Amino acid sequence: PSQKPRYIPIFSTQNELRQNSSENLVLNGYAEYAITRNLKFKTTGGYTRSITRGEVFNNSQSRGGNPSTNNRVNGGMTFYNNSSWLNENTLTWNRRFNADHNLTLLGGFTMQETRSSAFGAYAKLLPSEGLGLSGLDEGTPLSITSTSSVMSMASFLARANYTLFSKYLFTASFRADGSSRFIGSNTWGYFPSAAFAWRLGSEKWMKDIRFLSDAKLRASWGVTGNNAVGNFAAYAGYITPLDAGYSWGNQLNNGSYPSSMGNPNLKWEP
């Protein structure tokens, strides 16, 4: 009986190409403007982009491209593009009422978006091994990759901080977050929170406790949520394979089948 040839892993690796190269761009900036003595506006923005090229090549001396394999000499190249941007805008009002009371109010709006895409092609039976990936067009097409995705969010936020006698701190906040990963009435999630803190270190009787230099007690309550699901998990997905289909009228026609059921009831999870 015939036996499959065995390859030394180090020798096979030396005859394979697995290479990724990337270009990255990162931009950040902000601006502030004092509308009045107590009211200040601030905006921040950021943008990132990355382009990655992934290369794969198996020559005739490699485990995945030797003459005993179906694909023989083969290889491919895939380009990945990712970009995201974020913009935050806030208005802050601060006022001190004599020496005992201090109040800070903040309101804001934020928005962000993330996009990704990938495109690549693989081929087998490359006749000109010495050309490497430059001879990819001479081979037999093996597979094509083409995907894209996008996700966006928008948020409204508000927060109030009140300090009494510089030692009693009260905080209340509220967020409304909208995600493109959910649809209909489930798009928005609402998250209130409240907190109280007592600076024990500001009390006169704390000075008699020498083994403590400072102390603070804090109690809080809040509602949180996450949208950690797929960008299109709420929708049903379908695949149309090139190598499968159905016969009709003495011809082979491409067909589609569901790859995911989708769940329109997905919503923010606590």
Side-chain angles (χ1 to χ4, degrees):
S2 61
Q3 294 182 351
K4 292 183 179 180
R6 296 182 179 180
Y7 286 85
I8 301 174
I10 295 179
F11 181 75
S12 180
T13 302
Q14 292 173 345
N15 288 274
E16 299 172 350
L17 174 66
R18 302 291 188 272
Q19 179 174 291
N20 292 323
S21 57
S22 300
E23 297 179 2
N24 300 287
L25 173 66
V26 179
L27 299 173
N28 291 289
Y30 77 94
E32 290 183 337
Y33 178 70
I35 301 175
T36 66
R37 179 181 176 182
N38 304 104
L39 184 63
K40 181 175 67 175
F41 171 75
K42 181 178 181 180
T43 181
T44 64
Y47 176 79
T48 62
R49 182 177 182 180
S50 66
I51 301 175
T52 301
R53 182 177 65 186
E55 299 177 347
V56 175
F57 185 74
N58 300 302
N59 70 16
S60 60
Q61 301 298 315
S62 67
R63 181 180 181 87
N66 68 82
S68 67
T69 63
N70 293 329
N71 294 337
R72 305 290 178 89
V73 178
N74 63 88
M77 185 180 302
T78 304
F79 290 88
Y80 304 90
N81 288 274
N82 297 279
S83 64
S84 64
W85 59 264
L86 170 67
N87 175 238
E88 299 178 336
N89 305 277
T90 58
L91 276 174
T92 305
W93 182 83
N94 178 261
R95 179 73 181 274
R96 176 176 290 277
F97 303 89
N98 59 56
D100 298 330
H101 308 274
N102 186 73
L103 179 63
T104 301
L105 302 177
L106 180 143
F109 173 71
T110 71
M111 48 188 174
Q112 65 185 87
E113 183 182 80
T114 300
R115 290 181 176 271
S116 62
S117 64
F119 180 80
Y122 283 75
K124 62 181 180 178
L125 304 177
L126 304 183
S128 303
E129 180 178 355
L131 294 177
L133 291 177
S134 297
L136 199 64
D137 61 321
E138 299 177 356
T140 302
L142 182 61
S143 66
I144 294 179
T145 299
S146 180
T147 63
S148 64
S149 185
V150 61
M151 186 277 291
S152 60
M153 279 188 59
S155 302
F156 295 92
L157 55 96
R159 184 177 69 237
N161 294 321
Y162 172 65
T163 303
L164 177 63
F165 303 131
S166 297
K167 56 184 177 181
Y168 305 114
L169 295 82
F170 302 85
T171 302
S173 63
F174 180 81
R175 287 185 63 98
D177 295 324
S179 173
S180 64
R181 291 175 172 172
F182 308 123
I183 58 179
S185 60
N186 295 327
T187 300
W188 290 89
Y190 305 98
F191 311 104
S193 66
F196 168 74
W198 179 16
R199 289 176 176 168
L200 298 176
S202 300
E203 299 289 353
K204 295 181 179 180
W205 48 266
M206 273 289 294
K207 298 179 180 179
D208 298 329
I209 305 177
R210 297 184 178 182
F211 64 88
L212 286 178
S213 60
D214 196 7
K216 182 171 72 172
L217 294 177
R218 188 175 188 273
S220 62
W221 168 89
V223 177
T224 61
N226 77 80
N227 64 339
V229 297
N231 290 343
F232 306 109
Y235 302 91
Y238 292 86
I239 293 180
T240 304
L242 296 177
D243 56 352
Y246 63 96
S247 177
W248 179 263
N250 295 324
Q251 292 184 348
L252 182 63
N253 299 274
N254 289 336
S256 298
Y257 64 89
S259 59
S260 60
M261 299 300 295
N263 184 359
N265 297 319
L266 287 174
K267 59 183 179 180
W268 289 89
E269 296 181 355

